[in-house]
Amino acid sequence: MGKKGKKEKKGRGAEKTAVKMEKKVSKRSRKEEEDLEALIAHFQTLDAKRTQIVETPCPPPSPRLNASLSVHPEKDELILFGGEYFNGQKTFLYNELYVYNIRKDTWTKVDIPSPPPRRCAHQAVVVPQGGGQLWVFGGEFASPSGEQFYHYKDLWVLHLATKTWEQVKDYIYYNDVYAFNLDTFTWSKLSPSGTGPTPRSGCQMSVTPQGGIVIYGGYSKQRVKKDVDKGTRHSDMFLLKPEDGREDKWVWTRMNPSGVKPTPRSGFSVAMAPNHQTLFFGGVCDEEEEESLAGEFFNDLYFYDATRNRWFEGQLKGPKSEKKKRRRGRREEPEGGSKLACGGAGTQAPVEVVKEVVTEDGTVVTIKQVLSAPGSAGQPQSEDEDSLEEAGSPTPGPCPRSNAMLAVKHGVLYVYGGMFEAGDRQVTLSDLHCLDLHRMEAWKTLVEMDPETQEWLEETDSEEDSEEVEGAEGGDEDEDEDSGEESGAED
């Protein structure tokens, strides 16, 4: 009896310990969230010092990822907002607004009073109403250590004509399917019939010419055994459309497009291309093992044609001058000359170019560039097309990356920033490239970046609270000087 009583007592003691631990963890989580809210409030106090609109010509923005890049509905401009940057020790968050003039190839930083708090991984969309509006929803704020996160569920609109921010507070946030009415500023819940996508993060949405919404890909984790989770890269596709043409009734349909679809990946970027096609760029495929996580990054292009329900791989033709030279060379080539050996007649295998950059701290950063074979974008290949056989090799474009920002204006694709990893090092990019989607000849680099010049600091065991504030703040050095704090941003 004595031994049994001791065992029961010991068991009750373990239960009490577990309850205490759970309370302690819960209390700590609440405190961390309160700390982040206080930090966000502190930054908003600094932002409140802005009393007038200031537009300043500037060099290209500093490296960042998970920002938003949007196309102005009336002007030849791209609008960059927010984002994050990690230098190996600290995470920097931004709420800066930059405007890129496409025709002049110039950048302008626009400081507007009462902006949204610093954030990354938000959703942004531009509409033409009222002279143009940039809508920003949600996003994430991280502590400088990158170990604490705060998720926004707020909604903001930037009136482009008057350059004023406005927070829209009449909304309800859920993780289901909702529609927002731009006229009444209200949300309405959709209850689609049919089977939709399983819960996931990082999926991409695009619209169809018929008014439907396509959901593709994403990432989720599943418990495979006790204390062991396994990540899943989704490559399925679903269509959400009005049922029988009614705007108040929606239905989910699983799609099985034909053609060559992207390999499973996450962190890819999406933009609407000409002819109602959806363009997919880059991404990363993470290979998870018990003690390690390695990622393969991409810089390839894929097009989804909603009208034909078909995938196409985007392939570059090469400059016209190269094609003419090769045509002349082919006519002079004797019979039995060399042929394209890989991939069958009229095709050529992709070429991988590897470049190693040695940074100041001795880290070797390996950049892999995959050059697509000659071809055409958004169209099936044909063996009897001379342009496929005779096109020159495409010039290098953006290096493989994930979480890049995309925008399309006048049929030209713009790719800005993103990130890739080299071992334990994360390289955040700030380069800008463009590609004419009608010609599909070659990438053009508008802003170059040398990864060798990027700062990277090794992790430390602890950081001072003052450094925490410094790291999360991001830009706005002038404001920090006024408050007696030193900014850690790199503008």
Side-chain angles (χ1 to χ4, degrees):
M1 293 293 293
K3 290 183 178 180
K4 182 178 180 181
K6 287 183 179 179
K7 289 182 179 179
E8 291 177 350
K9 188 175 181 180
K10 184 178 181 181
R12 289 194 296 271
E15 291 177 1
K16 290 181 180 179
T17 301
V19 171
K20 289 182 179 179
M21 182 61 69
E22 183 177 352
K23 289 182 178 179
K24 185 177 181 180
V25 171
S26 178
K27 184 178 180 180
R28 180 181 177 184
S29 298
R30 289 196 301 270
K31 185 179 185 305
E32 289 177 349
E33 184 169 334
E34 291 172 358
D35 291 343
L36 287 183
E37 289 178 346
L39 194 57
I40 294 171
H42 167 72
F43 296 149
Q44 285 184 288
T45 301
L46 297 179
D47 291 334
K49 295 181 180 180
R50 303 177 186 176
T51 58
Q52 59 183 356
I53 301 171
V54 179
E55 300 184 43
T56 308
C58 62
S62 59
R64 64 194 63 197
L65 70 153
N66 288 327
S68 58
L69 186 65
S70 308
V71 172
H72 195 294
E74 297 180 353
K75 301 180 180 180
D76 292 336
E77 295 178 345
L78 306 181
I79 305 169
L80 178 71
F81 174 74
E84 63 176 313
Y85 170 71
F86 179 61
N87 70 354
Q89 287 185 356
K90 300 176 185 177
T91 299
F92 296 74
L93 274 299
Y94 304 99
N95 64 346
E96 301 164 325
L97 185 74
Y98 290 92
V99 174
Y100 175 69
N101 188 303
I102 295 175
R103 296 186 181 277
K104 296 181 181 179
D105 188 24
T106 57
W107 289 90
T108 301
K109 184 180 180 184
V110 185
D111 291 316
I112 300 175
S114 304
R118 292 156 172 79
R119 67 190 61 203
C120 65
H122 51 278
Q123 297 295 320
V125 64
V126 171
V127 296
Q129 283 89 338
Q133 299 172 344
L134 172 68
W135 289 85
V136 175
F137 176 76
E140 181 179 86
F141 179 87
S143 65
S145 64
E147 296 180 354
Q148 302 174 30
F149 302 92
Y150 181 89
H151 296 94
Y152 296 103
K153 53 183 180 181
D154 51 353
L155 182 65
W156 294 76
V157 57
L158 173 61
H159 301 280
L160 299 176
T162 59
K163 293 184 174 63
T164 55
W165 281 108
E166 176 188 359
Q167 183 177 6
V168 182
K169 297 183 178 180
D170 182 18
Y171 72 92
I172 302 176
Y173 174 75
Y174 293 90
N175 60 351
D176 298 323
V177 183
Y178 276 78
F180 183 76
N181 190 305
L182 295 175
D183 297 321
T184 62
F185 284 13
T186 57
W187 289 98
S188 60
K189 184 178 181 179
L190 305 182
S191 300
S193 59
T195 303
T198 58
R200 63 192 61 189
S201 67
C203 59
Q204 296 292 347
M205 303 173 63
S206 61
V207 297
T208 68
Q210 297 76 25
I213 299 174
V214 173
I215 308 292
Y216 173 76
Y219 179 86
S220 65
K221 284 191 174 183
Q222 298 177 345
R223 180 64 54 85
V224 293
K225 58 182 180 180
K226 186 178 180 180
D227 299 328
V228 177
D229 293 332
K230 182 179 180 181
T232 300
R233 297 180 301 274
H234 299 281
S235 58
D236 48 2
M237 181 178 286
F238 295 83
L239 174 65
L240 179 63
K241 65 177 182 179
E243 188 172 3
D244 300 326
R246 297 172 51 183
E247 295 184 358
D248 59 339
K249 194 172 183 181
W250 295 72
V251 59
W252 283 111
T253 303
R254 180 156 185 165
M255 307 177 67
N256 293 295
S258 59
V260 181
K261 68 178 182 180
T263 57
R265 65 189 67 185
S266 60
F268 53 87
S269 305
V270 172
M272 295 305 298
N275 301 322
H276 303 289
Q277 294 181 339
T278 303
L279 185 151
F280 293 74
F281 171 80
V284 59
C285 176
D286 290 326
E287 295 297 336
E288 299 184 48
E289 298 182 0
E290 293 185 1
E291 300 295 335
S292 64
L293 177 66
E296 179 185 1
F297 290 79
F298 303 95
N299 63 344
D300 47 0
L301 291 173
Y302 286 88
F303 293 83
Y304 172 70
D305 190 326
T307 305
R308 304 164 66 180
N309 191 26
R310 184 177 179 86
W311 284 101
F312 298 100
E313 185 176 6
Q315 297 180 330
L316 304 186
K317 301 176 183 178
K320 286 185 177 181
S321 58
E322 290 291 330
K323 289 191 291 184
K324 292 179 180 179
K325 291 180 181 178
R326 286 181 175 266
R327 286 193 182 104
R328 288 195 294 268
R330 285 291 178 89
R331 292 191 187 100
E332 298 170 359
E333 184 179 35
E335 294 184 5
S338 61
K339 299 289 184 179
L340 296 178
C342 299
T347 63
Q348 182 175 344
V351 178
E352 182 179 82
V353 178
V354 180
K355 176 183 178 182
E356 290 189 350
V357 177
V358 181
T359 61
E360 294 180 356
D361 60 3
T363 302
V364 179
V365 179
T366 303
I367 303 176
K368 293 184 178 181
Q369 174 86 26
V370 179
L371 303 181
S372 302
S376 58
Q379 299 293 336
Q381 297 187 18
S382 174
E383 295 183 3
D384 58 359
E385 291 183 357
D386 292 338
S387 60
L388 292 183
E389 295 185 4
E390 300 171 349
S393 299
T395 58
C399 67
R401 64 191 66 194
S402 68
N403 303 96
M405 283 63 74
L406 302 190
V408 176
K409 184 72 172 182
H410 300 318
V412 177
L413 167 66
Y414 295 86
V415 176
Y416 172 80
M419 62 83 72
F420 69 88
E421 296 173 347
D424 294 332
R425 176 170 181 171
Q426 175 179 303
V427 179
T428 307
L429 302 166
S430 61
D431 48 352
L432 178 65
H433 307 265
C434 68
L435 174 66
D436 190 321
L437 297 176
H438 296 294
R439 298 180 178 179
M440 289 296 291
E441 292 177 357
W443 285 97
K444 179 181 179 181
T445 300
L446 301 174
V447 177
E448 295 183 347
M449 176 192 174
D450 184 359
E452 184 178 359
T453 63
Q454 184 178 105
E455 177 189 44
W456 182 257
L457 305 177
E458 296 298 328
E459 293 185 3
T460 58
D461 295 334
S462 63
E463 294 179 316
E464 297 295 332
D465 292 339
S466 60
E467 292 178 345
E468 292 275 314
V469 174
E470 172 189 341
E473 182 162 348
D476 305 324
E477 292 88 348
D478 295 337
E479 295 176 356
D480 295 344
E481 292 175 359
D482 294 339
S483 62
E485 295 177 347
E486 179 184 358
S487 173
E490 299 177 355
D491 278 341

